[in-house]
Amino acid sequence: MTVPGLPPTVVTLGETMVLLHPADPNVALAEARLLTMDMAGADSNFAIAIGRLGVRSGWISRVGADPLGDFVLAAIGGEGVDVSQVKRDPHPTGVFFKHRDPASSTTQVLYYRQGSAASHLSPDDLDPNYLAGALLVHLNGMTCALSVGCAAAAMTAFELAPPGSIRSLDLNLRLQLWDVARARDALSPLIRKADVLLGTVEEFEAFFESDVAGEAMVAAAAMGPTTVVAKRGSRGAIGLIGGVPVSHPGFVPPKVVDEVGAGDGFDAGFLTALLEGCSPQTALRWANLVGASSVSVPGDIQGYPTRVQLEERLATWPENEAFTS
């Protein structure tokens, strides 16, 4: 949600691409003859999701000076996200395809983003005055995989975050783009500056070289973040907040259609609750509810709930049985 004249409460940055996927999600990509055009990116997904929950959000990036860039800006701005800091670039807007793999029944993605406009993001694209009023600066690790300039821009965003604000990072490793060793080198400096660190259980275990999620989270907290949260997909999430373990088993959505974008929604739910001073348990409930809402419809952003829908579903959607490990 953007209010004219007011700075964003939350600032994020990173790449958003044009998304193409079969109009019929049950048709394999190789056989599809009709594709739906949308846009998606971890950072803009997050900005849209948190905006629907009533938090003013702003997104910093670069898009091509092309019709696809026009499409991306119109779509994200139309969702109420402030796009005033997005620059047009002579390089093309990135594109990716999303489809269901018939063999595994899982969602797969194909990236066509090398040399894209957003990969030319740099610290010069950040206006210190724009971040001066932010209560939260949120980043995702995938941004740092795109280029040296993108990694430097991410670090600059944390450095420009005003005193007292929350700096959050989602590991979002995306090993299609780099390996764990390179990710560890690039993301460790950000983790040391972060107040909140999020990621999947698998990402924590890979990044911190442990096959036990709890041990990986302890190692993460030792680097500096006071809040560490590991997502478990349909099984909810576990957290280590101020050294205290918390968990929530997750919600059962009416159906599961498309899992991509759920993690970005989870982050938005969790961080909205954090900004409002809610308890860790409440923050995990909100996070899991937004994530579960996301998977119930096609597309990355279409399922993100409004604040009214969040409250309704918290009261009516069933929770999974509690887990013990």
Side-chain angles (χ1 to χ4, degrees):
M1 179 174 64
T2 300
V3 179
L6 290 178
T9 301
V10 172
V11 175
T12 188
L13 78 158
E15 180 167 35
T16 291
M17 295 173 287
V18 168
L19 164 62
L20 298 169
H21 58 91
D24 181 347
N26 297 313
V27 174
L29 182 59
E31 299 171 1
R33 295 299 178 267
L34 183 63
L35 300 177
T36 297
M37 187 166 84
D38 207 337
M39 57 81 204
D43 312 284
S44 58
N45 286 353
F46 169 82
I48 290 167
I50 205 166
R52 288 190 188 167
L53 296 175
V55 182
R56 295 189 304 276
S57 61
W59 170 61
I60 301 170
S61 189
R62 283 178 173 258
V63 297
D66 53 30
L68 297 184
D70 295 339
F71 173 77
V72 167
L73 281 179
I76 297 174
E79 288 285 344
V81 177
D82 179 44
V83 295
S84 64
Q85 302 300 299
V86 179
K87 296 186 178 180
R88 307 306 294 264
D89 189 281
H91 300 89
T93 303
V95 175
F96 77 111
F97 293 81
K98 181 168 66 174
H99 64 104
R100 299 288 289 184
D101 179 1
S104 63
S105 296
T106 59
T107 301
Q108 303 291 323
V109 294
L110 297 172
Y111 291 123
Y112 295 87
R113 69 196 308 177
Q114 188 172 2
S116 67
S119 70
H120 292 83
L121 191 68
S122 77
D124 292 339
D125 294 321
L126 278 66
D127 179 357
N129 294 323
Y130 189 74
L131 285 92
L135 298 182
L136 169 69
V137 176
H138 180 69
L139 305 174
N140 89 85
M142 177 172 56
T143 300
C144 298
L146 301 181
S147 69
V148 172
C150 284
M155 177 57 73
T156 299
F158 266 4
E159 291 172 345
L160 291 176
S165 64
I166 299 169
R167 292 171 293 189
S168 64
L169 172 68
D170 190 316
L171 287 172
N172 205 9
L173 291 182
R174 289 296 189 273
L175 297 180
Q176 305 100 313
L177 302 176
W178 57 359
D179 58 35
V180 173
R182 286 179 57 211
R184 196 175 291 123
D185 288 342
L187 299 184
S188 291
L190 289 173
I191 293 172
R192 295 187 184 98
K193 288 184 174 294
D195 304 297
V196 179
L197 182 65
L198 307 113
T200 67
V201 165
E202 294 79 11
E203 286 170 340
F204 273 103
E205 291 175 350
F207 192 93
F208 293 97
E209 298 182 290
S210 173
D211 57 3
V212 178
E215 293 178 359
M217 294 170 71
V218 169
M223 293 182 70
T226 55
T227 297
V228 178
V229 177
K231 309 170 206 179
R232 296 164 54 105
S234 62
R235 299 176 63 210
I238 53 179
L240 187 64
I241 302 177
V244 178
V246 293
S247 65
H248 182 266
F251 289 88
V252 181
K255 57 183 176 180
V256 176
V257 177
D258 183 354
E259 302 92 339
V260 178
D264 307 320
F266 179 103
D267 294 355
F270 185 85
L271 291 166
T272 298
L274 207 63
L275 285 169
E276 296 189 10
C278 297
S279 69
Q281 191 65 34
T282 296
L284 285 183
R285 291 190 78 236
W286 288 19
N288 281 323
L289 192 283
V290 178
S293 296
S294 173
V295 307
S296 64
V297 299
D300 282 24
I301 67 170
Q302 284 73 8
Y304 296 147
T306 64
R307 186 59 176 265
V308 171
Q309 291 171 327
L310 173 77
E311 299 291 350
E312 291 175 346
R313 293 171 189 177
L314 286 170
T316 59
W317 281 21
E319 297 181 353
N320 288 312
E321 294 184 7
F323 52 80
T324 57
S325 61

